[in-house]
Coordinates of all heavy atoms in Angstrom, one line a residue:
M70 N 175.3 93.7 123.9 CA 174.2 93.8 124.8 C 174.3 93.0 126.0 O 174.0 93.4 127.2 CB 172.9 93.3 124.0 CG 172.5 94.2 122.9 SD 171.0 93.6 122.1 CE 170.9 94.6 120.7
S71 N 174.9 91.7 125.9 CA 175.1 90.9 127.0 C 176.1 91.5 128.0 O 175.9 91.5 129.2 CB 175.6 89.5 126.6 OG 174.5 88.8 125.8
L72 N 177.2 92.0 127.4 CA 178.2 92.6 128.2 C 177.7 93.9 128.9 O 178.1 94.2 130.1 CB 179.5 93.0 127.4 CG 180.3 91.9 126.8 CD1 181.5 92.4 126.1 CD2 180.8 90.9 128.0
G73 N 176.8 94.6 128.3 CA 176.1 95.7 128.9 C 175.4 95.3 130.2 O 175.4 96.1 131.2
Q74 N 174.8 94.2 130.2 CA 174.1 93.7 131.4 C 175.1 93.4 132.5 O 174.8 93.7 133.7 CB 173.3 92.4 131.0 CG 172.1 92.6 130.1 CD 171.0 93.5 130.6 OE1 170.9 93.6 131.9 NE2 170.2 94.0 129.8
F75 N 176.3 92.9 132.1 CA 177.3 92.6 133.2 C 177.8 93.9 133.7 O 178.3 94.0 134.8 CB 178.4 91.8 132.6 CG 178.0 90.3 132.4 CD1 177.8 89.8 131.2 CD2 177.9 89.5 133.6 CE1 177.4 88.4 131.1 CE2 177.6 88.2 133.5 CZ 177.3 87.6 132.2
N76 N 177.8 95.0 132.9 CA 178.3 96.3 133.3 C 177.4 96.9 134.4 O 177.9 97.7 135.2 CB 178.3 97.3 132.2 CG 179.7 97.4 131.5 OD1 180.7 97.1 132.2 ND2 179.7 97.8 130.3
T77 N 176.2 96.4 134.5 CA 175.2 97.0 135.5 C 174.9 95.9 136.5 O 175.3 95.9 137.6 CB 174.0 97.5 134.8 OG1 173.4 96.5 133.9 CG2 174.3 98.7 133.9
I78 N 174.0 94.9 136.1 CA 173.6 93.9 137.0 C 174.7 93.1 137.5 O 174.8 92.7 138.7 CB 172.5 93.0 136.3 CG1 171.3 93.9 135.8 CG2 172.0 92.0 137.3 CD1 170.3 93.1 135.1
G79 N 175.7 92.8 136.6 CA 176.8 91.9 137.0 C 177.6 92.6 138.1 O 178.0 91.9 139.1
V80 N 177.9 93.9 138.0 CA 178.7 94.6 139.0 C 177.9 94.6 140.3 O 178.5 94.4 141.4 CB 178.9 96.1 138.6 CG1 179.5 96.9 139.7 CG2 179.9 96.1 137.4
L81 N 176.6 94.8 140.3 CA 175.7 94.7 141.5 C 175.8 93.3 142.2 O 175.9 93.3 143.4 CB 174.3 95.0 141.1 CG 173.3 95.0 142.2 CD1 173.6 96.0 143.3 CD2 171.9 95.2 141.7
I82 N 175.8 92.3 141.4 CA 175.8 90.9 141.9 C 177.2 90.7 142.6 O 177.2 90.2 143.7 CB 175.6 89.9 140.8 CG1 174.2 89.9 140.3 CG2 175.9 88.5 141.3 CD1 174.0 89.1 139.1

Side-chain angles (χ1 to χ4, degrees):
M70 292 178 189
S71 295
L72 290 182
Q74 295 293 341
F75 284 106
N76 264 336
T77 52
I78 303 176
V80 169
L81 176 62
I82 292 171

